[in-house]
Amino acid sequence: MNILKMSNIQKSFGGNHVLKDISLSVDKGEVVSVIGPSGSGKSTLLRCATLLETVDGGEFSYMGENVCLQKNGKTVYDKNLNKFRHCFGLVFQNFNLFPHWSVLKNVIDAPISVQGRNKNEVMEEAMELLKKMGLEDKVNAYPGELSGGQQQRLSIVRALAMNPEILFFDEPTSALDPELTGEVLKVIKQLAEEKMTMVIVTHEMEFARAVSDRVIFMDGGVIVEEGTPDEVFSNTKNERTKQFLQNYSKNEY
C-alpha cells in the first residue's frame, strides 16, 4: 500500500527551478534514502511532502487521498490540509525543539493540543518512547541541558508521539559531532527494523546502504537513479551517480 505517492512534482523559487519533475512512491514499512549533492532539491522535496512548501506543479497523495491535484493547469490543494498532517512526522537537522519547554512537554503538547488525545494516554506513550530512546531520566530537563545527540533523539520521540504513518528525516545527523552521529543512526536503524515507514535525506552513505530498502539519487532537481542499495552503490549504471559516489568517498577521508 502506498503511504505517499508524488507525481511530476515541480517547485521554483523565483527563477530557480529546484524540483523539475519528481515522481516517487513510498510503501508501508519501506525505508527510502535520498542522496545527492547540495542544491539538488532533496530538502525542498521533503518540505513539499510535509506541507511546509506548496508545489507549483504535479500531484501527491497520502494513504490514497489527494493532497493536491492539477485542475485546468493549476495546482489545487485540498481545503482541509490538517487531516493530512497526522500522516507524517518530520525530524529536522537542527532539532527545532521548544527551548522553554521541558523534555516531556516538548513530546506531549502536540498530541494533546493538536490531536485532542487523552492526556493520561499520551503521557504513558511519551514515557515509553523516552525510555526506549534512553531519555527517561531527562523528562524535566530542558533542551539546552541535553547533548546534540539527546536533542535529536528527543526530536524523534516528539515526531513518533504523533503516531505518524511515515517519518521524514532531513539530514538528521548534519548538526552533530561524529561521536553523537552514531547514537542517532542507531535509533533510526532500530525504527527501520520495526518496519517504520521512513524517507531519509542523508549524507551518511554507509548508513543509507545498510538501512534502506531503496535509494534515490537526486541531482539538479530530478531523480537521476533509484534502486536497491546494491544497485545504486555497487552496480550503478549512471555516470553522474558514479561520479558523485567517487567524489563523496574521497571527501570522507
Side-chain angles (χ1 to χ4, degrees):
M1 175 192 176
N2 284 154
I3 300 287
L4 170 68
K5 186 173 175 62
M6 305 184 91
S7 305
N8 311 112
I9 297 296
Q10 297 171 48
K11 177 67 181 174
S12 296
F13 295 100
N16 186 12
H17 210 26
V18 180
L19 300 177
K20 293 175 181 167
D21 184 10
I22 299 283
S23 295
L24 71 95
S25 61
V26 183
D27 290 337
K28 189 170 180 60
E30 191 177 24
V31 179
V32 178
S33 287
V34 185
I35 63 171
S38 296
S40 57
K42 307 184 300 293
S43 291
T44 301
L45 179 64
L46 254 58
R47 290 179 68 81
C48 289
T50 55
L51 306 175
L52 293 172
E53 300 283 357
T54 53
V55 303
D56 301 326
E59 303 181 339
F60 75 99
S61 61
Y62 276 108
M63 316 290 289
E65 224 181 317
N66 293 317
V67 178
C68 69
L69 287 167
Q70 289 297 302
K71 287 184 182 170
N72 303 321
K74 288 186 177 175
T75 307
V76 179
Y77 274 80
D78 189 294
K79 287 188 175 67
N80 179 17
L81 288 179
N82 277 338
K83 68 181 176 185
F84 297 106
R85 295 186 200 278
H86 75 274
C87 292
F88 57 80
L90 174 59
V91 177
F92 298 88
Q93 50 186 293
N94 292 318
F95 322 136
N96 281 34
L97 298 164
F98 293 103
H100 56 293
W101 285 1
S102 70
V103 162
L104 186 60
K105 187 165 168 58
N106 263 284
V107 177
I108 66 172
D109 187 75
I112 294 168
S113 61
V114 177
Q115 295 182 327
R117 287 166 54 202
N118 177 278
K119 185 176 179 179
N120 290 338
E121 182 189 299
V122 170
M123 289 274 284
E124 196 176 316
E125 277 185 27
M127 292 306 294
E128 275 179 33
L129 285 167
L130 288 165
K131 186 175 182 183
K132 180 177 172 179
M133 300 290 177
L135 294 169
E136 70 269 35
D137 60 337
K138 302 289 185 186
V139 287
N140 297 315
Y142 289 86
E145 299 172 309
L146 305 179
S147 71
Q150 288 170 329
Q151 288 185 63
Q152 192 59 295
R153 279 185 278 149
L154 175 56
S155 301
I156 296 169
V157 169
R158 186 179 59 175
L160 288 171
M162 301 291 280
N163 290 326
E165 295 289 342
I166 183 170
L167 262 188
F168 294 94
F169 292 86
D170 187 9
E171 297 278 13
T173 59
S174 66
L176 300 177
D177 296 336
E179 65 181 308
L180 297 176
T181 294
E183 67 183 66
V184 172
L185 295 181
K186 189 176 169 187
V187 165
I188 300 172
K189 193 168 186 195
Q190 185 184 347
L191 292 173
E193 286 164 3
E194 293 166 5
K195 292 295 174 194
M196 180 77 209
T197 310
M198 294 186 281
V199 175
I200 308 164
V201 168
T202 184
H203 60 278
E204 302 282 347
M205 297 301 147
E206 285 308 311
F207 173 70
R209 184 174 196 148
V211 83
S212 310
D213 297 299
R214 192 153 40 99
V215 176
I216 289 171
F217 172 64
M218 281 180 69
D219 190 29
V222 297
I223 292 174
V224 175
E225 187 164 9
E226 74 176 290
T228 65
D230 202 45
E231 286 166 345
V232 173
F233 289 110
S234 301
N235 299 297
T236 178
K237 307 281 189 289
N238 187 282
E239 277 308 314
R240 179 65 190 98
T241 315
K242 272 183 197 167
Q243 181 192 1
F244 171 76
L245 292 171
Q246 280 169 356
N247 287 342
Y248 207 92
S249 57
K250 278 178 202 161
N251 291 340
E252 282 187 313
Y253 301 105

